[in-house]
Amino acid sequence: MKDEGVKSGDFVIPGAVLGVGEEFMPGEGAYEEDGIIHSSVAGIVDLDMNKRKASVEARTDVPPVPREGDDIICEVVEVRPQMVLVELVVKCGNIDRALSAPSTKGRIYISHANKRYVTKLQNEFRIGDIIRARMRDTNKMPFELSTVGSDMGVLIAYCTKCRHILKKKDSKLECPVCGNIETRNMAQDYGNAKI
Amino acid sequence: MTRCDGRKKNELRDVKMEVGVLKRADGSAYIEWGNNKIFAGVYGPKEVIPRFLARNDRAYLRCKYSMTPFSVEERKRPGPDRRSVEIGKVTTGALAPAILLENYPNSMIEILIDVMQADAGTRCAGITAATLALVDAGIPMRGLVSACAAGKVDDEIVLDLCKEEDNLGQADIPLAILSRTEEITLLQMDGIMTENEVEEALGLAIEGCKSVYQMQMDALKTKYGD
């Protein structure tokens, strides 16, 4: 059951032999066992002869594991004086599949909430807000996230009085039902975000 | 020897496999093996619940096997029972060596096998479908797990027992192998066989697993090959 003579562009399934350890390093979608490089996913072989790397580009959906620098859609679950606790929902660009992570809990420390000085976090986020945040550190639990940057921040905010979705009005937010005015750390595409 | 359904002693029932049949699951597969009709779905890697089952060096694999009430002749009471729990456990053991669990520490991979219609050999068919569902979910694997049973009917060793043979036969050996290395990941037996008969049955079951492996490859190529 050995697949011999695999070349770049071939379709392989998990377990197919891609090469030997002396020849290649295992890249994405590949692993080494007993000196032999095997495919670990179903996909298309890529043998990079310059970098000496054997990898397989998955044809299947791959688990969306959060990595540093990834944009994540989160829901605010708690606002504390020094930090905001969030629930990670999906990875931007991969919204059909739940995040593949050991935990879905994250936090945004006050110093990573906004580029400017933040006096009160409650003026930046409120419970229930849907936000876009960038992953800072995946080694810590809860995950460390940041909303520094114009494309980061609140995408959908709810009125703290009547829970209706707030509409953007200049640099503030207004409730179309009760007229309540609130402030948030809004993303530049607030209200019409494409995830 | 002629079998009750006209097959040769080393012939499998008709098998049809399909990958990626369920939209909501992260990975899924459907298998028709004779009159068996089975769906397998995979979720994860995801958060481990309950939390104490989490391992910091590998993912926790959970497999749940269940039969629908209408899957057998007499209505089966829904919910887990002794047999379902056992099959879930042995399926976990059969699939775990094939998955690179160390890639996802502190996470859980959940496999759900639902038998829509049962006709003997559901654990083998379930393992075969679950393997395809794992590949469909993009979970890194060492290779495919293929499963097949052999048994003893009318003092003859035969491959892939159907329901009548399973009920009236003398013995049954379900077997699963990691096809790349031919490492045995599941081996069970009920009934009585001599040592020589066991060896013959194992040889027959391994050949059956190789045929199943070819069908798994074809199913994956059909879905993702072009």
Side-chain angles (χ1 to χ4, degrees):
Chain A
M1 291 187 195
K2 280 185 180 174
D3 302 59
E4 283 173 10
V6 169
K7 57 186 186 301
S8 287
D10 284 356
F11 174 78
V12 288
I13 60 164
V17 177
L18 304 178
V20 291
E22 288 90 346
E23 213 179 354
F24 296 107
M25 289 290 283
E28 283 283 309
Y31 71 99
E32 187 177 348
E33 198 171 84
D34 300 330
I36 310 285
I37 313 288
H38 298 276
S39 161
S40 64
V41 293
I44 304 298
V45 179
D46 179 18
L47 301 176
D48 190 332
M49 302 309 278
N50 294 325
K51 292 181 182 167
R52 289 279 158 195
K53 193 182 254 188
S55 43
V56 178
E57 193 189 329
R59 277 281 179 97
T60 60
D61 193 16
V62 290
V65 178
R67 299 187 201 284
E68 279 160 38
D70 283 345
D71 293 350
I72 313 280
I73 303 298
C74 314
E75 184 186 348
V76 176
V77 291
E78 194 177 337
V79 182
R80 292 184 184 174
Q82 299 297 316
M83 70 184 81
V84 179
L85 301 182
V86 296
E87 188 77 28
L88 279 61
V89 184
V90 289
K91 195 166 160 175
C92 290
N94 203 340
I95 57 165
D96 291 335
R97 190 162 171 179
L99 213 60
S100 291
S103 166
T104 52
K105 292 184 169 37
R107 74 162 194 172
I108 302 163
Y109 196 68
I110 190 165
S111 57
H112 292 101
N114 207 324
K115 196 177 173 184
R116 61 173 168 75
Y117 178 72
V118 175
T119 47
K120 209 174 173 190
L121 261 180
Q122 286 195 329
N123 294 334
E124 309 291 314
F125 303 101
R126 286 296 186 120
I127 291 174
D129 287 356
I130 306 298
I131 66 165
R132 186 193 286 127
R134 188 155 289 163
M135 186 60 79
R136 278 183 59 232
D137 194 345
T138 51
N139 295 320
K140 288 186 180 161
M141 287 291 157
F143 292 120
E144 292 276 356
L145 296 121
S146 162
T147 48
V148 176
S150 59
D151 51 346
M152 299 293 135
V154 178
L155 302 174
I156 300 169
Y158 295 92
C159 177
T160 52
K161 286 186 178 168
C162 65
R163 303 307 289 167
H164 280 88
I165 295 175
L166 298 171
K167 297 270 181 214
K168 193 174 179 181
K169 193 179 181 189
D170 303 324
S171 62
K172 301 215 167 179
L173 292 165
E174 185 182 31
C175 177
V177 177
C178 69
N180 185 31
I181 303 284
E182 299 193 18
T183 61
R184 293 287 197 282
N185 172 17
M186 284 181 281
Q188 62 185 7
D189 53 351
Y190 177 90
N192 54 4
K194 285 192 176 74
I195 301 168
Chain B
M1 182 213 177
T2 49
R3 294 169 71 176
C4 61
D5 52 4
R7 282 183 291 149
K8 292 178 201 157
K9 63 178 276 188
N10 61 348
E11 193 179 342
L12 289 168
R13 287 174 280 180
D14 289 338
V15 183
K16 186 187 140 198
M17 299 176 192
E18 210 176 325
V19 184
V21 288
L22 306 172
K23 189 173 182 286
R24 305 289 175 213
D26 293 339
S28 62
Y30 173 67
I31 187 165
E32 277 184 24
W33 186 317
N35 289 327
N36 289 311
K37 293 181 180 181
I38 299 172
F39 280 101
V42 169
Y43 287 92
K46 58 179 188 171
E47 192 173 0
V48 189
I49 297 170
R51 200 70 210 153
F52 70 86
L53 292 172
R55 295 285 173 269
N56 59 12
D57 58 345
R58 61 183 187 275
Y60 173 71
L61 183 66
R62 176 183 290 162
C63 191
K64 192 176 160 227
Y65 168 99
S66 64
M67 295 179 96
T68 48
F70 47 80
S71 63
V72 278
E73 282 168 3
E74 200 169 310
R75 180 185 179 273
K76 183 201 167 284
R77 190 166 174 250
D81 53 16
R82 186 206 59 79
R83 181 177 169 276
S84 300
V85 173
E86 178 215 311
I87 295 179
K89 188 190 174 297
V90 297
T91 305
T92 305
L95 294 171
I99 306 170
L100 292 168
L101 293 172
E102 58 273 23
N103 284 13
Y104 300 100
N106 293 313
S107 304
M108 176 171 82
I109 297 168
E110 191 170 26
I111 302 167
L112 304 159
I113 298 170
D114 272 328
V115 180
M116 297 289 125
Q117 187 172 291
D119 187 65
T122 52
R123 76 188 67 194
C124 293
I127 289 168
T128 305
T131 305
L132 293 176
L134 283 163
V135 177
D136 185 44
I139 290 168
M141 297 179 76
R142 288 193 174 84
L144 303 185
V145 179
S146 314
C148 187
K152 186 178 167 187
V153 181
D154 294 336
D155 295 327
E156 283 272 353
I157 304 300
V158 293
L159 181 69
D160 187 24
L161 280 67
C162 65
K163 192 167 191 311
E164 291 75 23
E165 291 172 330
D166 195 30
N167 291 348
L168 304 171
Q170 294 146 295
D172 178 27
I173 299 183
L175 176 95
I177 61 168
L178 184 53
S179 298
R180 183 169 68 73
T181 56
E182 292 188 16
E183 190 182 322
I184 293 174
T185 61
L186 168 81
L187 180 60
Q188 291 185 292
M189 177 173 159
D190 71 1
I192 298 168
M193 276 180 168
T194 65
E195 201 178 323
N196 290 340
E197 285 171 339
V198 170
E199 272 184 28
E200 192 188 341
L202 285 179
L204 209 54
I206 288 173
E207 288 307 311
C209 289
K210 287 180 184 173
S211 305
V212 172
Y213 174 69
Q214 288 300 328
M215 291 182 229
Q216 286 175 306
M217 282 210 301
D218 292 343
L220 288 168
K221 276 181 187 160
T222 306
K223 173 80 179 174
Y224 295 111
D226 301 314

